[in-house]
Amino acid sequence: MSVDPSDIVIREMQESDTADVHSIHTQCLTTTLTAHYSTTQLEAWMYGRSPEGYWRFANSGETFRVVERHGEIVGFANWQGDELRSLFVSPDCQRAGIGSALFEVCDRENRVSFLKATLGAVSFYKRFCFVEAGRGFDLKRGTQLPHVLMRREEG
């Protein structure tokens, strides 16, 4: 299923959007990523997150965009400098072109050069000429959360 581009609006995140952003992030962690991360890893990842946290990041220099479809927020992305920090689309709207449209807007606004992809998102970013540059992990509550370091392949 592909989404008609005229059905979506990509805009700057407002403080009133943070509950929806938090909900989408939580849905993705608890459904989409369960094939790639253990329950312990996902619990550590989710620990301490709150809607207010996204607004704090936005006010400390990260840029956030949200995707609205028929007035409902169905995705978000954020970046700082040329690093894409996250891009998540509501599980029931994935594989419809929303993530690609969101990435393209982020990239147009501020060329993305590198990112840390979740284990489930590597093939998505390969479509935009990103290649694996290494593997690493974030440590949260003593638990390793693996990611794939990806850089844009120029040429």
Side-chain angles (χ1 to χ4, degrees), residues 32-71:
T32 309
L33 293 176
T34 58
H36 303 281
Y37 296 92
S38 71
T39 300
T40 301
Q41 289 171 317
L42 293 170
E43 287 173 354
W45 195 339
M46 290 188 297
Y47 182 82
R49 289 183 323 99
S50 70
E52 298 78 23
Y54 301 94
W55 195 242
R56 277 194 305 275
F57 285 127
N59 285 313
S60 67
E62 292 188 25
T63 302
F64 279 79
R65 295 292 178 262
V66 296
V67 180
E68 281 186 26
R69 181 174 180 214
H70 306 297

Coordinates of all heavy atoms in Angstrom, one line a residue, residues 32-71:
T32 N 7.5 -3.4 16.2 CA 8.4 -3.5 15.1 C 9.8 -4.1 15.4 O 10.3 -4.9 14.6 CB 8.5 -2.2 14.4 OG1 7.2 -1.6 14.1 CG2 9.2 -2.3 13.0
L33 N 10.3 -3.7 16.5 CA 11.7 -4.0 16.8 C 11.9 -5.3 17.7 O 13.0 -5.7 18.0 CB 12.4 -2.8 17.5 CG 12.6 -1.6 16.5 CD1 13.3 -0.5 17.2 CD2 13.5 -2.1 15.3
T34 N 10.8 -5.9 18.0 CA 10.9 -7.1 18.9 C 11.6 -8.3 18.2 O 12.1 -9.1 18.9 CB 9.5 -7.6 19.4 OG1 8.7 -7.8 18.2 CG2 8.8 -6.5 20.3
A35 N 11.7 -8.3 16.9 CA 12.4 -9.3 16.2 C 13.9 -9.1 16.3 O 14.7 -10.0 16.0 CB 11.9 -9.4 14.8
H36 N 14.3 -7.9 16.7 CA 15.7 -7.6 16.6 C 16.4 -7.3 18.0 O 17.6 -7.3 18.1 CB 15.9 -6.3 15.8 CG 15.4 -6.5 14.4 ND1 16.1 -7.2 13.4 CD2 14.2 -6.1 13.8 CE1 15.3 -7.2 12.3 NE2 14.2 -6.5 12.5
Y37 N 15.6 -7.1 19.0 CA 16.1 -6.8 20.3 C 15.3 -7.6 21.3 O 14.1 -7.9 21.2 CB 15.9 -5.3 20.6 CG 16.7 -4.4 19.8 CD1 16.1 -3.9 18.6 CD2 18.0 -4.0 20.1 CE1 16.9 -3.0 17.8 CE2 18.7 -3.2 19.3 CZ 18.2 -2.7 18.1 OH 18.9 -1.9 17.3
S38 N 16.0 -8.0 22.4 CA 15.4 -8.8 23.5 C 14.4 -7.9 24.3 O 14.5 -6.7 24.3 CB 16.5 -9.4 24.4 OG 17.1 -8.4 25.2
T39 N 13.6 -8.6 25.1 CA 12.7 -7.8 26.0 C 13.5 -7.0 27.0 O 13.2 -5.8 27.2 CB 11.8 -8.8 26.8 OG1 11.1 -9.6 25.8 CG2 10.9 -8.1 27.7
T40 N 14.6 -7.5 27.5 CA 15.5 -6.7 28.4 C 16.0 -5.5 27.7 O 16.1 -4.4 28.3 CB 16.6 -7.6 28.9 OG1 16.1 -8.8 29.6 CG2 17.6 -6.9 29.8
Q41 N 16.5 -5.6 26.5 CA 17.0 -4.5 25.7 C 15.9 -3.4 25.5 O 16.2 -2.2 25.7 CB 17.6 -5.0 24.4 CG 18.9 -5.7 24.5 CD 19.3 -6.3 23.2 OE1 18.5 -6.9 22.5 NE2 20.6 -6.2 22.9
L42 N 14.7 -3.9 25.1 CA 13.7 -2.9 24.8 C 13.2 -2.2 26.1 O 12.9 -1.0 26.1 CB 12.5 -3.6 24.1 CG 12.8 -4.1 22.7 CD1 11.7 -5.0 22.2 CD2 13.1 -2.9 21.8
E43 N 13.2 -3.0 27.2 CA 12.8 -2.3 28.5 C 13.8 -1.3 28.9 O 13.5 -0.2 29.4 CB 12.6 -3.4 29.6 CG 11.4 -4.2 29.4 CD 11.3 -5.4 30.4 OE1 12.3 -5.7 31.1 OE2 10.3 -6.1 30.4
A44 N 15.1 -1.6 28.7 CA 16.1 -0.6 29.0 C 16.0 0.6 28.1 O 16.2 1.8 28.5 CB 17.5 -1.2 28.9
W45 N 15.7 0.4 26.8 CA 15.6 1.5 25.9 C 14.4 2.4 26.2 O 14.5 3.6 26.1 CB 15.3 0.9 24.5 CG 15.5 1.8 23.3 CD1 15.5 3.1 23.2 CD2 15.7 1.3 22.0 NE1 15.6 3.6 22.0 CE2 15.8 2.5 21.2 CE3 15.8 0.1 21.4 CZ2 16.0 2.4 19.8 CZ3 16.0 0.0 20.0 CH2 16.1 1.2 19.2
M46 N 13.3 1.8 26.7 CA 12.2 2.6 27.0 C 12.2 3.3 28.4 O 11.5 4.2 28.7 CB 10.9 1.7 26.9 CG 10.6 1.3 25.5 SD 9.0 0.5 25.3 CE 9.3 -1.0 26.3
Y47 N 13.1 2.8 29.3 CA 13.1 3.3 30.6 C 13.4 4.8 30.7 O 14.3 5.3 30.1 CB 14.2 2.6 31.4 CG 14.3 3.0 32.9 CD1 13.4 2.5 33.8 CD2 15.2 4.0 33.3 CE1 13.4 2.9 35.1 CE2 15.2 4.5 34.6 CZ 14.3 3.9 35.5 OH 14.3 4.3 36.8
G48 N 12.5 5.5 31.4 CA 12.7 6.9 31.6 C 12.3 7.8 30.5 O 12.4 9.1 30.6
R49 N 11.8 7.3 29.4 CA 11.4 8.1 28.3 C 10.1 8.8 28.6 O 9.2 8.1 29.3 CB 11.3 7.3 27.0 CG 12.6 6.9 26.4 CD 12.5 6.2 25.1 NE 11.3 5.3 25.0 CZ 10.2 5.6 24.3 NH1 10.0 6.8 23.7 NH2 9.2 4.8 24.3
S50 N 9.8 10.0 28.2 CA 8.6 10.7 28.4 C 8.3 11.6 27.2 O 9.3 12.0 26.5 CB 8.6 11.5 29.7 OG 9.5 12.6 29.6
P51 N 7.1 12.0 27.1 CA 6.8 13.0 26.0 C 7.6 14.3 26.2 O 8.1 14.9 25.2 CB 5.3 13.3 26.2 CG 4.8 12.0 26.7 CD 5.8 11.5 27.7
E52 N 7.8 14.7 27.4 CA 8.6 15.9 27.7 C 10.0 15.8 27.2 O 10.7 16.9 26.8 CB 8.6 16.3 29.2 CG 7.2 16.6 29.7 CD 6.3 15.3 30.0 OE1 6.9 14.2 30.2 OE2 5.1 15.4 30.0
G53 N 10.6 14.6 27.2 CA 11.9 14.5 26.7 C 12.2 14.9 25.3 O 13.2 15.4 25.0
Y54 N 11.2 14.6 24.4 CA 11.4 15.0 23.0 C 11.4 16.5 22.9 O 12.2 17.1 22.1 CB 10.2 14.5 22.2 CG 10.1 13.0 22.2 CD1 9.3 12.3 23.2 CD2 10.9 12.2 21.4 CE1 9.3 10.9 23.2 CE2 10.9 10.8 21.5 CZ 10.1 10.2 22.4 OH 10.0 8.8 22.5
W55 N 10.6 17.2 23.7 CA 10.6 18.7 23.7 C 11.9 19.3 24.3 O 12.5 20.2 23.8 CB 9.4 19.2 24.5 CG 9.1 20.7 24.2 CD1 9.1 21.7 25.1 CD2 8.8 21.3 23.0 NE1 8.9 22.9 24.5 CE2 8.7 22.6 23.2 CE3 8.7 20.7 21.7 CZ2 8.4 23.5 22.1 CZ3 8.4 21.6 20.6 CH2 8.2 23.0 20.9
R56 N 12.5 18.6 25.3 CA 13.8 19.0 25.8 C 14.9 18.9 24.7 O 15.7 19.8 24.5 CB 14.2 18.2 27.0 CG 13.6 18.7 28.3 CD 14.2 18.1 29.5 NE 14.2 16.6 29.5 CZ 13.2 15.9 30.0 NH1 12.1 16.4 30.4 NH2 13.3 14.5 29.9
F57 N 14.8 17.8 24.0 CA 15.8 17.6 22.9 C 15.6 18.7 21.8 O 16.6 19.2 21.3 CB 15.7 16.2 22.3 CG 16.3 15.1 23.1 CD1 15.6 14.0 23.4 CD2 17.6 15.2 23.6 CE1 16.1 13.0 24.2 CE2 18.2 14.2 24.4 CZ 17.4 13.1 24.7
A58 N 14.4 19.0 21.5 CA 14.1 20.0 20.5 C 14.6 21.4 20.9 O 15.1 22.2 20.1 CB 12.6 20.1 20.2
N59 N 14.5 21.6 22.2 CA 15.0 22.9 22.8 C 16.5 22.9 23.0 O 17.0 24.0 23.4 CB 14.2 23.3 24.0 CG 12.8 23.7 23.7 OD1 12.6 24.5 22.8 ND2 11.8 23.2 24.4
S60 N 17.2 21.8 22.8 CA 18.6 21.8 23.1 C 19.4 21.6 21.7 O 20.5 21.3 21.7 CB 19.0 20.7 24.0 OG 18.7 19.4 23.5
G61 N 18.7 21.9 20.6 CA 19.4 21.9 19.3 C 19.1 20.9 18.3 O 19.6 20.9 17.2
E62 N 18.2 19.9 18.7 CA 17.8 18.9 17.7 C 16.6 19.4 17.0 O 15.8 20.1 17.5 CB 17.5 17.6 18.4 CG 18.7 16.9 19.0 CD 18.5 15.5 19.5 OE1 17.5 14.8 19.0 OE2 19.2 15.1 20.4
T63 N 16.6 19.1 15.7 CA 15.4 19.5 14.8 C 14.5 18.3 14.7 O 14.9 17.2 14.4 CB 15.9 19.9 13.4 OG1 16.9 21.0 13.6 CG2 14.8 20.3 12.5
F64 N 13.2 18.5 14.9 CA 12.2 17.5 14.8 C 11.2 17.8 13.7 O 10.8 18.9 13.6 CB 11.4 17.3 16.1 CG 12.1 16.5 17.2 CD1 13.1 17.1 17.9 CD2 11.7 15.2 17.5 CE1 13.8 16.4 18.9 CE2 12.4 14.5 18.5 CZ 13.4 15.1 19.2
R65 N 10.8 16.8 13.0 CA 9.7 16.9 12.0 C 8.7 15.8 12.3 O 9.1 14.7 12.7 CB 10.2 16.8 10.6 CG 11.1 17.9 10.1 CD 10.4 19.2 10.0 NE 11.3 20.3 9.7 CZ 11.8 21.2 10.6 NH1 11.6 21.0 11.8 NH2 12.6 22.1 10.1
V66 N 7.4 16.1 12.1 CA 6.4 15.1 12.3 C 5.7 14.9 10.9 O 5.7 15.9 10.1 CB 5.4 15.4 13.4 CG1 6.1 15.4 14.8 CG2 4.7 16.7 13.2
V67 N 5.1 13.8 10.8 CA 4.2 13.5 9.6 C 2.8 13.4 10.0 O 2.5 12.6 10.9 CB 4.7 12.2 8.9 CG1 3.8 12.0 7.6 CG2 6.1 12.2 8.5
E68 N 1.9 14.2 9.4 CA 0.5 14.0 9.6 C -0.1 13.4 8.4 O 0.2 13.7 7.3 CB -0.1 15.4 9.8 CG 0.0 16.1 11.1 CD -0.8 17.4 11.2 OE1 -1.8 17.5 10.5 OE2 -0.3 18.2 12.0
R69 N -1.0 12.5 8.7 CA -1.9 11.9 7.7 C -3.3 12.0 8.1 O -3.7 11.5 9.2 CB -1.5 10.4 7.5 CG -2.3 9.8 6.4 CD -1.8 8.3 6.1 NE -2.6 7.8 5.1 CZ -2.9 6.5 5.0 NH1 -2.4 5.6 5.9 NH2 -3.6 6.0 4.0
H70 N -4.1 12.7 7.3 CA -5.5 13.0 7.7 C -5.6 13.5 9.1 O -6.5 13.1 9.8 CB -6.3 11.7 7.5 CG -6.2 11.0 6.2 ND1 -6.6 11.7 5.0 CD2 -5.7 9.8 5.8 CE1 -6.4 10.9 4.0 NE2 -5.9 9.8 4.4
G71 N -4.7 14.4 9.4 CA -4.7 15.1 10.7 C -4.2 14.4 11.9 O -4.1 14.9 13.0

